Amino acid sequence: MNESLSGLLPTDVVRNWDNALNTVCSLFPASTVEQCKQRLLSTLTNTDQIGENAISSAMAALCEQFALEVSRIEDGHIAELQDEMSDEQIYALSNLLYVMDMQLRLDLIAKEVL
Amino acid sequence: MNSPARITVTQSDAVNRIDRDLATFAASVVRMDKLEPLVTELVRLRCARVHDCRLCGSLRQRKALDAGLDETMADKVDHYESSDLPDNIKAALRLADAMILTPGYVPEALRSDLAAHFTREQIAELLMDIVKWSQQKALVALRTEAPPWAATEQLDFDENGDPMFCGPVQTV
């Protein structure tokens, strides 16, 4: 977490956020986490920063729509993922996208407003 | 929208660890108390409406109701810029929008706008409120956020910061 932000927060909030982030990320290979992060960041900043493709097209599409407008994710997005993952894994993936999406947003915003 | 859940979530070690650690984080954010209840609640409702979270949209925080929140005020979050909401609430909602809609482009005036109404600690709390209230994104993506009630329900928190659902909101 951005130091200018973490220094203004109770220590338990910072610790609990880092803990949740680490828990969810630990459920996936590091390459998947990194690729999802890059997909989210390129969508949030409208830039093309995608390197090696370590995730499926279904996962990449979910990353992009999650960052762009989560309510417009369609049944088909999730059905496509169900061909390659269990429901438990999809649940974990959705939470992975949540914590990484929010961490990226915090990094982008905190330095501008604090 | 009345979308059914897209997956079936069953208890497992991984699911329990995710739920436990996110709930622990959420409770610690709820325990922060530097913001007025109406500011916190209207930011929560803005997140709910933008993300189309049916569960969060069906809740009203008891502390905000006690502070004067009603449905007329709640509806104003959809068009807050042209509303008569107080300037501090508009500034908080602008921060919410920057975070959830345009994180890659932060309006230049936002920093001074926020500084006119909030301390740095309060701005930090607002940011973490937005993170906490946006946990709904993980549920909306899977459409597992349908509320179990038809009416609008009161939301409160215990001393640990864990949520309590306290029955329907009484309308006059």
Side-chain angles (χ1 to χ4, degrees), chain A residues 32-42 63 100 104:
Chain A
T32 301
V33 172
E34 183 57 29
Q35 190 72 15
C36 288
K37 181 179 173 183
Q38 292 305 320
R39 286 275 170 183
L40 290 167
L41 182 60
S42 66
C63 288
M100 288 199 305
L104 291 168

Side-chain angles (χ1 to χ4, degrees), chain B residues 82-110:
Chain B
S82 61
S83 76
D84 59 358
L85 287 171
D87 288 344
N88 65 326
I89 289 178
K90 286 185 180 179
L93 292 171
R94 288 183 195 118
L95 177 63
D97 278 3
M99 179 98 166
I100 63 181
L101 292 172
T102 59
Y105 168 72
V106 180
E108 219 173 289
L110 185 57

Side-chain angles (χ1 to χ4, degrees), chain B residues 20-93:
Chain B
R20 180 199 64 205
D21 288 353
L22 286 173
T24 301
F25 162 70
S28 61
V29 173
V30 167
R31 291 196 298 271
M32 291 195 288
D33 59 358
K34 296 190 186 318
L35 294 168
E36 296 170 15
L38 279 177
V39 173
T40 301
E41 178 64 350
L42 292 172
V43 165
R44 187 189 70 80
L45 285 172
R46 182 69 182 169
C47 293
R49 304 226 186 183
V50 170
H51 296 142
D52 187 32
C53 178
R54 295 169 292 177
L55 176 62
C56 302
S58 76
L59 298 169
R60 299 291 180 270
Q61 286 196 71
R62 182 178 270 177
K63 282 183 183 172
L65 293 167
D66 292 345
L69 177 75
D70 59 22
E71 288 311 295
T72 302
M73 188 185 295
D75 286 344
K76 290 177 184 173
V77 299
D78 290 336
H79 49 87
Y80 65 88
E81 287 290 9
S82 61
S83 76
D84 59 358
L85 287 171
D87 288 344
N88 65 326
I89 289 178
K90 286 185 180 179
L93 292 171

Side-chain angles (χ1 to χ4, degrees), chain A residues 1 4-5 8-10 12-13 16-17 19-20 23-24 26-27 44-45 62 66-71 73-75 78 82 87-88 90-92 94-95 98-99 101-102 105-106 108-114, chain B residues 6-9 12 14-15 17-19 21-22 24-25 28-29 31-32 50-52 95 98-101 103-104 106 110-111 114 120-121 123-125 127-128 130-132 134-135 137-138 140-143:
Chain A
M1 187 182 289
S4 63
L5 174 60
L8 295 167
L9 294 168
D12 64 332
V13 171
N16 292 338
W17 175 247
N19 196 35
T23 292
V24 184
S26 73
L27 298 170
L44 293 176
T45 58
L62 186 69
F66 194 98
L68 206 57
E69 194 172 355
V70 72
S71 64
I73 289 172
E74 296 176 356
D75 293 348
I78 305 303
Q82 283 171 318
D87 280 7
E88 179 188 331
I90 293 171
Y91 181 77
S94 191
N95 281 283
Y98 159 64
V99 293
D101 178 55
M102 282 298 132
R105 288 170 193 267
L106 278 178
L108 289 166
I109 297 283
K111 66 180 191 296
E112 301 292 337
V113 298
L114 289 173
Chain B
R6 292 169 173 148
I7 65 167
T8 304
V9 184
S12 70
V15 168
R17 285 171 58 205
I18 292 168
D19 290 350
D21 288 353
L22 286 173
T24 301
F25 162 70
S28 61
V29 173
R31 291 196 298 271
M32 291 195 288
V50 170
H51 296 142
D52 187 32
L95 177 63
M99 179 98 166
I100 63 181
L101 292 172
V106 180
L110 185 57
R111 181 195 285 257
L114 289 165
R120 283 165 53 81
E121 286 78 10
I123 296 168
E125 182 171 329
L127 288 169
M128 298 316 289
I130 297 163
V131 171
K132 183 256 182 290
S134 295
Q135 194 177 339
K137 290 186 76 173
V140 170
L142 306 174
R143 282 299 178 197

